[in-house]
Amino acid sequence: MYFTTPRAWDNLPLRLTTEEIRDPHEVIHEYYSAHDMPRARQILDKWLCSTSKEKPSKLSASGLQFFYERTESLIEAAYLIGQLDNRDRKAIIMQSDDEEEIDLMNPRLFCAWIRQSKGEAIAYREVWDNFPRSLAYKEFLDPYQVLGKFFSFLTLVSIRFSAFPNRN
């Protein structure tokens, strides 16, 4: 059943708990604790490829369901974070005009958590696998810009219905 007019709850998070709504950054932390970036890309790729093949994916149905639910929670959390004032967040790299250009391949900027707690060196392969290749330079410096762009094209309700078109 499709509704032609937006309902009051269409752009509200439906998967998130009250605690997750209060701290949507924790949802992102939990997501990447369960799936690192390369693994999340791999699961998504296998999932999308299996939709166009007769042979089903080797991924378990429960694993795909868990991944889908966590990804939907991630998107809802990103929507909430996009509504916040993020100007003073740590993720934004401030650079003055007289500063030297930033080394974008410095792993501390995008994957320092991998081995930072152990004080170990990060392998070049891990750096490359985690590098945010789809971001423009300005988006790399301020990743919150991406949220505004993403949700200017898609709303929460359009994301839900594109994944499950028969869902109310």
Side-chain angles (χ1 to χ4, degrees):
M1 173 180 199
Y2 291 100
F3 295 91
T4 55
T5 58
R7 299 167 295 179
W9 60 86
D10 279 342
N11 276 314
L12 295 175
L14 300 178
R15 281 216 184 271
L16 301 181
T17 64
T18 307
E19 293 80 27
E20 291 172 330
I21 291 171
R22 278 192 215 116
D23 186 10
H25 292 92
E26 186 61 29
V27 175
I28 294 173
H29 176 73
E30 287 177 22
Y31 183 86
Y32 287 107
S33 293
H35 310 285
D36 62 4
M37 183 62 73
R39 181 69 180 142
R41 283 186 188 131
Q42 184 182 46
I43 293 171
L44 186 58
D45 187 48
K46 285 183 179 182
W47 183 10
L48 293 174
C49 287
S50 71
T51 61
S52 62
K53 295 180 181 176
E54 290 180 26
K55 186 178 175 184
S57 172
K58 290 183 182 180
L59 298 171
S60 70
S62 62
L64 284 175
Q65 182 66 30
F66 174 77
F67 180 75
Y68 172 79
E69 289 172 359
R70 291 289 76 203
T71 302
E72 192 172 49
S73 294
L74 175 75
I75 292 169
E76 289 182 354
Y79 177 79
L80 293 176
I81 291 169
Q83 306 301 307
L84 300 173
D85 179 10
N86 294 302
R87 286 179 284 184
D88 296 328
R89 301 288 308 181
K90 279 185 178 180
I92 298 173
I93 301 169
M94 300 297 218
Q95 183 180 16
S96 60
D97 294 334
D98 60 339
E99 271 187 281
E100 171 176 327
E101 195 166 314
I102 294 173
D103 175 17
L104 296 179
M105 291 304 290
N106 180 349
R108 292 195 180 279
L109 296 176
F110 56 88
C111 65
W113 66 89
I114 294 174
R115 298 245 166 68
Q116 186 177 22
S117 60
K118 298 177 185 176
E120 297 176 21
I122 301 170
Y124 288 120
R125 174 63 190 253
E126 285 180 289
V127 171
W128 176 250
D129 287 346
N130 286 281
F131 186 74
R133 295 184 272 289
S134 58
L135 296 181
Y137 181 75
K138 287 184 179 182
E139 293 167 342
F140 186 90
L141 298 179
D142 182 2
Y144 296 103
Q145 290 181 3
V146 175
L147 301 178
K149 286 182 182 179
F150 182 82
F151 291 107
S152 70
F153 293 107
L154 293 169
T155 60
L156 288 181
V157 71
S158 67
I159 293 167
R160 287 185 192 111
F161 281 105
S162 66
F164 290 109
N166 296 324
R167 195 167 129 184
N168 291 336

